[in-house]
Amino acid sequence: MGCVCMKLKKFRYNDPKVLASHTYSKPFRYEEENHEVLASQTYFTINEVEFVHELFKKLSSSIIDDGLINKEEFQLGLFGNSKKQSLFTDRIFQMFDTKQDGVIDFGEFVRFLSIFHPKTPQAEKVSCAFQQYDLWNTGFIEHEEVKEMIMALLKESDLILPDEIIESIVKKTFEEADFKRDGKIDMEEWKELVAKNPSLLKNMTIPYLKDITTMFPSFVLKPDIEDNNNNF
C-alpha cells in the first residue's frame, strides 16, 4: 500500500471566508520554551527555530490566539475545516502532543517537526514511522491497525477500494514483514522491512526544512496515497 506520505500544502485557513466563520477570543498566552534550548535539543539551528515559530504562530492563532494549537486548529490547518474527523489527523496530533494534554505547545511542535529535518538520523525516522502505525501504542503493529490506517488514508484521498483488496494488501505486508510469524510486526521486524524497502522513509524528510530560512513556505503535514501496493 502507499506509505503515510507527508507533503507540503499551503494553509487553507488563509481564506477570509474560513476565518470569518470562527469566533475569536484572547485567553492567557502560553509561555514558550527558549528558542536556543530548542535548537540545542533538535536538528534545527536557532535561525530555523525562529522561522518555524512563524509557522507555529499562524496555526496557533487561527481560532484562539493563546500560543497553543488545539485539535480544531490542527484540523483547520490540514483541511480548512475545524470539524472534520480523521484517524490520520488524530494520530499525528497525538504524536505532536507528547504531554497528552490536548494541545500542542511550541516545544512539542518543534521537536516533532524536527524528525522530518534532512539532518535527522535515519533511526529516529524509522521509529517515528513505526509509531504512526502503532495506533494502540502496544509496541507492535497489528493487522487491524494496518487495515484501519489504509482505510483512513484512502478516505482522505477520496479513494475507494473493495475490502478484499485492502485485506490482500494487509496480508501481503505481513507476509513480508512478520518473519516471526506471530501475527504482529515489532520494531525489529519493522527495521528489517525498512532496510529492504528504503522508500518507506522517503516521506519522513521534508527538504524545505533545511532551507526554511531562505524560502519560508506556508505548509502543513497532510496524508497522501502512493500507487505502490508493495509497501505501506
Side-chain angles (χ1 to χ4, degrees):
M1 59 168 278
C3 63
V4 179
C5 297
M6 319 297 285
K7 68 180 182 181
L8 305 179
K9 291 287 185 181
K10 292 184 178 180
F11 286 121
R12 297 186 181 183
Y13 54 75
N14 285 335
D15 185 341
K17 293 181 180 179
V18 175
L19 294 175
S21 65
H22 297 278
T23 301
Y24 291 82
S25 60
K26 287 185 177 294
F28 72 95
R29 295 287 304 178
Y30 182 82
E31 185 175 349
E32 296 176 349
E33 294 182 53
N34 182 278
H35 291 190
E36 291 186 8
V37 173
L38 289 173
S40 70
Q41 295 175 347
T42 65
Y43 297 96
F44 290 113
T45 64
I46 295 177
N47 285 341
E48 288 171 342
V49 170
E50 296 293 336
F51 277 85
V52 171
H53 185 245
E54 294 302 311
L55 170 63
F56 179 82
K57 286 195 298 184
K58 288 187 177 182
L59 279 168
S60 64
S61 63
S62 60
I63 296 178
I64 300 175
D65 189 8
D66 58 355
L68 298 166
I69 299 173
N70 60 36
K71 177 68 74 65
E72 288 190 345
E73 288 171 324
F74 196 74
Q75 292 173 166
L76 184 61
L78 286 176
F79 305 116
N81 182 343
S82 64
K83 303 299 182 183
K84 183 173 181 177
Q85 299 298 311
S86 163
L87 172 64
F88 176 84
T89 305
D90 289 345
R91 184 57 183 157
I92 297 301
F93 187 88
Q94 290 169 4
M95 294 175 72
F96 267 102
D97 180 21
T98 56
K99 297 175 185 175
Q100 298 300 296
D101 56 3
V103 291
I104 301 169
D105 62 40
F106 183 57
E108 291 172 315
F109 188 76
V110 172
R111 290 187 180 92
F112 187 76
L113 200 59
S114 175
I115 294 172
F116 298 88
H117 196 286
K119 294 181 181 179
T120 302
Q122 178 170 300
E124 293 186 36
K125 297 178 185 291
V126 170
S127 178
C128 180
F130 181 86
Q131 291 174 41
Q132 289 176 354
Y133 285 94
D134 182 16
L135 300 176
W136 303 331
N137 298 316
T138 60
F140 303 97
I141 299 173
E142 301 186 43
H143 182 282
E144 285 304 312
E145 291 174 308
V146 175
K147 184 175 180 179
E148 283 188 34
M149 186 61 80
I150 293 174
M151 294 175 66
L153 293 172
L154 289 171
K155 182 179 179 180
E156 295 301 334
S157 300
D158 296 320
L159 297 175
I160 299 176
L161 288 179
D163 190 65
E164 56 268 24
I165 293 181
I166 295 176
E167 284 289 349
S168 69
I169 294 172
V170 176
K171 181 179 179 181
K172 186 174 182 180
T173 298
F174 273 80
E175 287 176 350
E176 181 177 2
D178 181 24
F179 58 79
K180 296 179 182 178
R181 297 294 181 260
D182 56 3
K184 54 191 177 184
I185 302 170
D186 60 23
M187 181 60 78
E188 179 186 4
E189 292 170 318
W190 175 255
K191 289 178 179 178
E192 287 287 333
L193 182 64
V194 171
K196 295 177 183 177
N197 303 278
S199 62
L200 288 170
L201 295 184
K202 71 178 182 180
N203 294 298
M204 292 303 297
T205 297
I206 301 177
Y208 291 90
L209 293 179
K210 184 179 180 181
D211 304 311
I212 196 169
T213 59
T214 57
M215 48 182 300
F216 178 69
S218 292
F219 66 84
V220 291
L221 304 177
K222 183 175 175 63
D224 193 12
I225 300 291
E226 285 190 353
D227 297 325
N228 179 1
N229 291 336
N230 294 323
N231 305 313
F232 6 175

